[in-house]
Amino acid sequence: MEALQIMHDNKFLTLPVCESNGSVIGIVDVMDCVYASGGAEGWRSIFSSAMECDDVTDTASVNSHLTGSVYPRSVKSYKSRKKEGTPVSKLRPKAPMVSATNDSVLAVTQMLASKRGDAAIITDNSGGLAGIITDTDVTRRVVAKQLPASSTRVSDVMTANPSCVSMSDPATDALVTMVENRFRHLPVTDDSGAIVGVLDIA
């Protein structure tokens, strides 16, 4: 729990593991810490208790800065319904950073760098959700494979049709989805299915 607290306080996603003499023997990832601290069910209990004490107001909201709506294919339907428990909207999802499928990896990463982001929502020609790409995807699927960032289309290396949650879904369900699937990022929709934010494990 101490390692997780350090990572949270400093917004670290990884942390070196050292011997008492200071020599580095490994590295731990934020998701490793989450699993070691009880996994999805353990964190559901901890998170539920924390949210009960949270005084975040119901007026907090995330507005998309998109000129058009973004509709995810992976979300089947969003009928008007009341959910039990604290909703995802209380978590204050970040505004989505959006790129198109025909953009190059270089263009997307430059956009992310300029906005200090680490994940982009990728839309198709009709404005629908096509996928998501993160800094980890770029490392593993582009850099490690020595692909040219300037000529590689983001659609070739993104995670297609990512899982989503609604702003009205229970916040604990969103957390469990992220922990069980080891997602660091999770797109958030409004009840009509338009992308309005992204949850970040950090």
Side-chain angles (χ1 to χ4, degrees), residues 67-149:
T67 55
S69 296
V70 180
Y71 296 97
R73 292 187 187 130
S74 58
V75 180
K76 294 180 180 177
S77 66
Y78 286 90
K79 296 180 180 178
S80 178
R81 62 203 185 277
K82 185 173 182 179
K83 302 276 187 166
E84 292 183 5
T86 303
V88 167
S89 59
K90 288 263 191 168
L91 300 178
R92 301 181 190 175
K94 295 178 181 177
M97 297 181 191
V98 181
S99 292
T101 51
N102 59 356
D103 286 343
S104 69
V105 171
L106 179 61
V108 175
T109 54
Q110 287 176 334
M111 181 268 291
L112 289 174
S114 69
K115 296 182 178 180
R116 300 180 65 82
D118 52 12
I121 297 296
I122 310 301
T123 60
D124 58 24
N125 293 334
S126 63
L129 177 67
I132 186 171
I133 189 165
T134 69
D135 51 358
T136 301
D137 295 329
V138 173
T139 300
R140 295 177 178 174
R141 301 173 186 173
V142 181
V143 178
K145 294 183 178 180
Q146 298 183 8
L147 298 178

Side-chain angles (χ1 to χ4, degrees), residues 4 16-18 30 35 38 49 64 66 81 84-85 90 93-94 103 128 145 149 155 157 160 163 174 188-189 200:
L4 194 60
V17 179
C18 302
V30 64
Y35 265 86
S49 298
S64 173
L66 306 177
R81 62 203 185 277
E84 292 183 5
K90 288 263 191 168
K94 295 178 181 177
D103 286 343
K145 294 183 178 180
S155 58
V157 293
S163 298
V188 180
T189 70
D200 188 328

